Amino acid sequence: MPASLELPGLKVHLDNLVYRHGGEQLPPDKPHAFIYFLTIRNDSDRIVTLLGRKWIIEHADGTRLVVEGDKIVGETPTLASGEHFSYNSYHVGHCDARATGSFHGVDEDGQRIYVRIPAFDMTIPRG
């Protein structure tokens, strides 16, 4: 099987990061929620279908969480050149963390492709 290609022109942008603390919906051992809003933009010359994702969360206490799976918020978006897909999701934790990862899929010829998620910090507000 051919290697996966990091497709030039396929980009991920963090549009917004929202912090929430506590409340009934967060477990006591993970009282910090970070809601992230991302846009995946296809400025390549190929049609791509995104099939899944891999997130790497490195916590300030040295622990690491790797989350891999099919689909992106339940979808497999197909993007022609110039199109984008925006969504939001969240991470709950117990300390500051740094997130990075990638989305993977295929282009119109069946070539496996991926795009890196730029690293971003999930910092608990102090004070």
Side-chain angles (χ1 to χ4, degrees):
M1 185 170 274
S4 192
L5 168 73
E6 185 172 12
L7 186 60
L10 190 60
K11 306 253 187 244
V12 178
H13 182 263
L14 175 67
D15 299 319
N16 197 11
L17 181 64
V18 177
Y19 171 77
R20 297 279 188 256
H21 180 264
E24 293 178 11
Q25 288 146 4
L26 293 177
D29 63 331
K30 294 181 181 176
H32 307 285
F34 295 90
I35 303 135
Y36 52 87
F37 296 79
L38 297 176
T39 296
I40 306 162
R41 181 162 184 83
N42 183 13
D43 287 328
S44 78
D45 60 357
R46 302 180 192 185
I47 298 171
V48 299
T49 300
L50 301 171
L51 302 173
R53 77 271 184 229
K54 177 178 182 177
W55 283 95
I56 302 166
I57 311 294
E58 296 183 9
H59 297 103
D61 67 1
T63 59
R64 185 175 174 167
L65 174 66
V66 177
V67 179
E68 294 183 76
D70 293 336
K71 301 187 178 182
I72 301 168
V73 292
E75 298 187 44
T76 54
T78 296
L79 304 174
S81 182
E83 293 184 335
H84 69 277
F85 175 74
S86 296
Y87 80 97
N88 68 284
S89 192
Y90 65 93
H91 170 74
V92 295
H94 60 281
C95 63
D96 292 347
R98 184 168 183 81
T100 189
S102 62
F103 296 110
H104 65 272
V106 293
D107 72 8
E108 63 211 43
D109 297 325
Q111 167 71 49
R112 294 184 329 174
I113 56 96
Y114 70 95
V115 58
R116 294 175 199 264
I117 301 166
F120 61 91
D121 293 321
M122 295 179 283
T123 305
I124 299 165
R126 309 288 191 251

